[in-house]
Amino acid sequence: LTPHEDMWIEINLHDALGNIIARHGQFAAREFTRINHTHRFGEGLPPGEYQWVLRFDGEDIAQRPFSLGSVPAVSPATPALVQ
């Protein structure tokens, strides 16, 4: 972030159709040039296409698409490696 006033930023998670799945807000103080955002996905989202949308002052200013893939289940018959 370039020099700025204190500002409120929204970081929203959208599905492939553009629906908002999760909405988060974060305060960016003027003395910080960078902010970090952490999101826990858990098991609630199915595999598919999603995107992060960064909003400021009511407008979308950045988008980052990504895919969530499925994780193969571990079979009880799969032998464990023991060393």
Side-chain angles (χ1 to χ4, degrees), residues 1-3 5 12 20 22 31 35 40-44 46-47 52 55 58 61 73 81:
L1 297 172
T2 57
E5 299 179 0
N12 300 326
I20 296 175
E31 58 269 10
I35 60 169
R40 295 196 105 175
F41 287 99
E43 297 179 16
W52 289 113
R55 291 179 59 86
I61 59 172
L81 293 176

Side-chain angles (χ1 to χ4, degrees), residues 4-22:
H4 58 83
E5 299 179 0
D6 293 341
M7 57 187 181
W8 181 257
I9 296 173
E10 283 184 38
I11 302 135
N12 300 326
L13 177 61
H14 292 235
D15 65 11
L17 300 175
N19 300 313
I20 296 175
I21 303 297

Side-chain angles (χ1 to χ4, degrees), residues 10-63:
E10 283 184 38
I11 302 135
N12 300 326
L13 177 61
H14 292 235
D15 65 11
L17 300 175
N19 300 313
I20 296 175
I21 303 297
R23 177 176 282 163
H24 304 278
Q26 188 165 341
F27 179 70
R30 70 186 77 200
E31 58 269 10
F32 297 117
T33 57
R34 184 176 301 189
I35 60 169
N36 294 312
H37 173 73
T38 303
H39 181 82
R40 295 196 105 175
F41 287 99
E43 297 179 16
L45 289 178
E49 300 296 316
Y50 297 91
Q51 68 177 334
W52 289 113
V53 177
L54 181 65
R55 291 179 59 86
F56 172 68
D57 203 21
E59 294 187 31
D60 295 354
I61 59 172
Q63 298 175 353

